[in-house]
Amino acid sequence: WLRSSFVIGGPRCTRDSPTRPAVAREASKEVWDTAWDSLLPAGPDGSPISNQELLRLVKDKVDETYFDEDGLRELPRVDGLPRGKGFFEQMNDTFWLKGPVVVAPLGPLRTISVSDPGMIKQILSERELYGKGFLAAVGQDIFGKALITASDRELWQSRRSATSAGFHAQWLRSLTEDFALCTVQAMRVLDDRVKYGEVVDMESFFLNLALDTVGRTIFGYDFRASEQPPNSPQSPIVRAVYRVLKERTEYRQANLANLLLMGAPDALVDLAAPSVAEYRQSLRSIDAVLDKVINAALQEQRLTDEAELRRRSGGTLLQFIIDLSGKQASREQLQDDLRTLLIAGHETVASTLTWAIYELAKSPKAMAKAKQEVQKVMGSRDSPTYQDVKDMKYIRLVLTEALRLFPAPPVLARSPLKSVTLPMPAGGNVTLSRGSLLLLQLTQLHRHPGIYERPDEFWPERWEQGFNSTGAYPVQGWRGYDPARVTGLYPTAVATDYAFIGFGGGEFQCVGDQFAMIEGTAVMAMLLQRYNFKLVDSDLEAIGLDMAATIHTKRGLMMRVSRATG
Ligand code: HEM
């Protein structure tokens, strides 16, 4: 999808001939505008952008192409990427050629891609001025109306409060033990494969492990994914989860019909699109499990106040939400919340761990340093504590650096809820109409040559000291990075003045960021303590990259894993 945001569209249509009589054009424009306004009127300023209103994005493109009406005329355009190069090189070239703000086609729509930290800061930190627009609409049949997709502010606010209260400090601390238990379970299977000298797909390993951790900690269900053969899970529920993930990341890019058929009745879908029917069946299987765990949590319900709940250690996030809110949240709402957490908290963590082990295996110095840290902090203990996670700073920087290079997701989408004027990095302003589709390009921001020294290099130590704008591309107004501003487990958007937004920033910042960092650090430490890792092929071109909801490999991350001695 990300790739298509640059590539789809082909050559731009030519604008209207200048010889066309201006009067006729004005008249037809008036008819055209009136038709749109009566059929699909723009909503009032500040209101959520409805799915129907999103169709007005097509109008913007037609206005530009046929009526030469284009408020974005001053911005550079991208029609496609240079061929025959790797993804990151292509993004780099585009940056150098066109700068950090470009207009790019996405099928029949027009997008504005941004990779300047100042503009991104303005977009992410302005409360209530931007919604998630297009991407929220596209994801609604998967996530329902929960945090990621709730365009209605009141609903989003209520789900955000309920969920983020659940991620309280006491619970987060107690999670380290759960993460360790899941990792021990996964390592048992890994040990068998290591014994027989098999090549292991570490991407699948991490996906399975991250599914088990989310199941255990968020809603108390043991998927036993780590016990399944990688890439061909036998349990129907694990298969269903992966089928839904695939829908999110692959099928929709490959076949737009899947998306168009989402509202169609089952009988029609069964006939017209077996893959959509299969996807719907998978969603139903997941909901059946969620129904079961919600029932169990309701039976256990002990209504109590938030202060008491915050002192509680252990238990699942679901139990917390149910004990806090009683029957305020409907069963349907709880299902949407859980499906959102299941998907948002699973693939992202697995992707970060995958790229972290890839980079460590490529960098013997970083690997040795990481292993030394584990040895120093954990000694002969084989499961980390929360204090260990805090003490293993280098491992946390390894994860941060992997997330900088391979952000998950690689793009954030936003749409202004009313017309906004944004200052441009090189001076001047750009005015965006309500509903415009903004794409914040994390892959470019995180490799910005004016921010990061040797931007494409894996170099976790860069986060140990402060840095300011450098090199041939100075970034006006960027405050620089100061480690003194890091208060939690990783450098946030605020600490980096929006140069690193691996967990987003502003009001929609990731609700599971601490959860993810604790999990990532505990899992990585346990693996480094027990095994050595060697890449079968380190070349990214050979591994193959798929840009989707996360950056994942085309064929898995194949590694030779052996038991560490000593
Ligand atoms: C390394 C792992 C993770 C990464 C890189 C990550 C990244 C992100 C990012 C960038 C956003 C902001 C999206 C936007 O602004 O449009 C986000 C939001 C979110 N994340 Fe994460 N995430 C991770 C782990 C998790 C985990 C473990 C959970 C839950 C268990 C989670 C749940 C969510 C939810 C619910 C949102 C939506 C928040 C809202 O809109 O209020 N994430 N995540």
Side-chain angles (χ1 to χ4, degrees):
W1 179 83
L2 172 86
R3 200 171 34 230
S4 62
S5 75
F6 274 109
V7 175
I8 295 180
R12 277 182 67 216
C13 307
T14 48
R15 287 168 191 272
D16 245 2
S17 152
T19 56
R20 188 170 171 194
V23 178
R25 195 169 60 180
E26 262 168 42
S28 53
K29 178 74 169 67
E30 220 176 293
V31 173
W32 165 252
D33 285 347
T34 315
W36 273 91
D37 289 343
S38 50
L39 283 171
L40 279 177
D45 283 356
S47 65
I49 295 159
S50 67
N51 291 3
Q52 288 93 320
E53 200 184 341
L54 284 171
L55 288 174
R56 288 183 69 94
L57 285 168
V58 177
K59 178 178 186 293
D60 287 350
K61 177 91 182 185
V62 177
D63 283 351
E64 168 192 321
T65 312
Y66 292 103
F67 296 106
D68 205 13
E69 186 178 278
D70 185 5
L72 306 179
R73 198 179 292 118
E74 305 306 320
L75 296 183
R77 301 191 170 240
V78 175
D79 292 327
L81 290 171
R83 289 184 186 276
K85 280 186 162 186
F87 174 79
F88 294 113
E89 284 164 295
Q90 290 173 343
M91 293 296 267
N92 221 349
D93 285 356
T94 311
F95 183 93
W96 283 111
L97 279 171
K98 306 282 183 172
V101 188
V102 296
V103 175
L106 173 65
L109 311 180
R110 186 182 60 175
T111 69
I112 301 111
S113 273
V114 183
S115 51
D116 171 69
M119 280 181 90
I120 289 181
K121 178 180 180 177
Q122 189 131 5
I123 294 163
L124 290 182
S125 57
E126 280 279 5
R127 283 184 76 85
E128 305 195 9
L129 198 51
Y130 296 88
K132 294 191 199 163
F134 183 71
L135 278 200
V138 170
Q140 240 175 47
D141 65 293
I142 296 181
F143 297 114
K145 288 194 173 159
L147 282 181
I148 289 182
T149 45
S151 43
D152 168 347
R153 274 212 90 76
E154 226 173 279
L155 176 64
W156 173 79
Q157 190 69 62
S158 90
R159 301 328 298 153
R160 176 82 193 193
S161 319
T163 314
S164 50
F167 283 88
H168 61 91
Q170 188 63 23
W171 184 67
L172 286 170
R173 272 186 217 120
S174 70
L175 288 180
T176 322
E177 203 177 305
D178 292 297
F179 295 145
L181 282 171
C182 291
T183 311
V184 167
Q185 191 174 308
M187 290 197 309
R188 238 177 261 137
V189 180
L190 189 56
D191 277 342
D192 282 344
R193 312 196 58 212
V194 168
K195 195 160 72 191
Y196 295 109
E198 290 174 42
V199 169
V200 180
D201 171 6
M202 287 307 291
E203 187 176 45
S204 295
F205 174 86
F206 286 129
L207 274 166
N208 287 338
L209 174 52
L211 179 56
D212 283 342
T213 57
V214 169
R216 182 184 176 94
T217 58
I218 304 287
F219 45 84
Y221 182 82
D222 192 358
F223 284 103
R224 307 177 88 88
S226 294
E227 292 173 9
Q228 319 265 321
N231 291 333
S232 52
Q234 284 155 353
S235 129
I237 182 62
V238 175
R239 270 210 308 270
V241 174
Y242 286 128
R243 175 62 187 84
V244 171
L245 270 190
K246 264 199 178 323
E247 180 67 29
R248 185 173 170 226
T249 58
E250 287 168 23
Y251 286 66
R252 276 165 202 231
Q253 306 183 71
N255 183 358
L256 207 62
N258 284 11
L259 198 57
L260 297 175
L261 276 167
M262 283 307 158
D266 283 350
L268 174 66
V269 168
D270 284 349
L271 284 175
S275 75
V276 180
E278 186 200 23
Y279 154 72
R280 284 192 183 180
Q281 182 50 45
S282 299
L283 270 186
R284 280 194 290 271
S285 308
I286 295 174
D287 282 348
V289 166
L290 297 182
D291 226 29
K292 229 166 41 190
V293 294
I294 290 170
N295 280 340
L298 282 169
Q299 268 174 15
E300 292 285 306
Q301 187 178 51
R302 278 180 295 132
L303 273 183
T304 181
D305 64 22
E306 192 173 331
E308 169 61 30
L309 277 171
R310 278 175 181 276
R311 284 193 286 274
R312 207 193 266 178
S313 175
T316 64
L317 186 82
L318 171 66
Q319 195 69 55
F320 178 99
I321 295 177
I322 284 186
D323 289 356
L324 179 67
S325 66
K327 296 210 183 313
Q328 273 167 25
S330 67
R331 178 177 291 269
E332 199 187 1
Q333 183 63 65
L334 287 170
Q335 273 195 350
D336 288 353
D337 289 348
L338 292 184
R339 235 192 282 135
T340 296
L341 293 167
L342 172 69
I343 294 175
H346 162 208
E347 202 191 0
T348 45
V349 173
S351 162
T352 307
L353 280 162
T354 301
W355 294 117
I357 200 74
Y358 166 80
E359 289 292 353
L360 281 177
K362 273 196 349 175
S363 164
K365 250 168 80 184
M367 178 64 99
K369 200 166 165 182
K371 279 183 171 253
Q372 267 163 21
E373 183 178 78
V374 175
Q375 168 63 29
K376 186 166 160 234
V377 174
M378 284 174 57
S380 57
R381 284 179 296 115
D382 52 14
S383 293
T385 60
Y386 177 69
Q387 186 57 46
D388 293 340
V389 168
K390 280 174 66 181
D391 292 343
M392 288 189 276
K393 186 172 168 208
Y394 190 70
I395 305 279
R396 288 190 280 110
L397 295 185
V398 163
L399 297 171
T400 304
E401 185 69 348
L403 195 49
R404 179 183 73 82
L405 291 169
F406 299 91
V411 173
L412 303 183
R414 289 292 185 275
S415 294
L417 301 179
K418 63 179 189 184
S419 169
V420 291
T421 301
L422 279 172
M424 294 280 290
N429 295 312
V430 59
T431 298
L432 303 172
S433 54
R434 173 181 158 86
S436 318
L437 182 45
L438 282 164
L439 298 180
L440 314 186
Q441 299 286 356
L442 273 63
T443 38
Q444 281 182 330
L445 172 73
H446 286 180
R447 294 174 186 239
H448 196 305
I451 294 174
Y452 295 103
E453 199 183 329
R454 292 179 272 149
D456 295 320
E457 200 175 299
F458 176 74
W459 179 25
E461 289 81 356
R462 74 171 73 244
W463 299 104
E464 286 168 352
Q465 272 122 40
F467 46 85
N468 283 300
S469 186
T470 59
Y473 205 110
V475 185
Q476 300 297 329
W478 179 58
R479 279 173 69 210
Y481 163 66
D482 181 357
R485 294 200 294 264
V486 179
T487 52
L489 297 175
Y490 71 96
T492 56
V494 171
T496 60
D497 202 24
Y498 286 76
F500 174 76
I501 52 167
F503 288 101
E507 59 186 340
F508 298 126
Q509 179 166 317
C510 179
V511 76
D513 55 354
Q514 304 298 313
F515 178 112
M517 287 304 295
I518 299 170
E519 174 175 359
T521 311
V523 169
M524 186 56 87
M526 288 174 77
L527 289 178
L528 294 185
Q529 187 186 48
R530 197 174 174 97
Y531 304 104
N532 293 323
F533 296 89
K534 200 164 179 289
L535 284 161
V536 170
D537 199 330
S538 65
D539 180 24
L540 275 187
E541 289 297 294
I543 290 169
L545 292 184
D546 255 336
M547 299 291 148
T550 61
I551 302 174
H552 56 101
T553 73
K554 277 196 173 25
R555 292 169 282 277
L557 184 71
M558 299 304 174
M559 298 190 101
R560 292 189 194 286
V561 185
S562 55
R563 283 297 292 268
T565 47

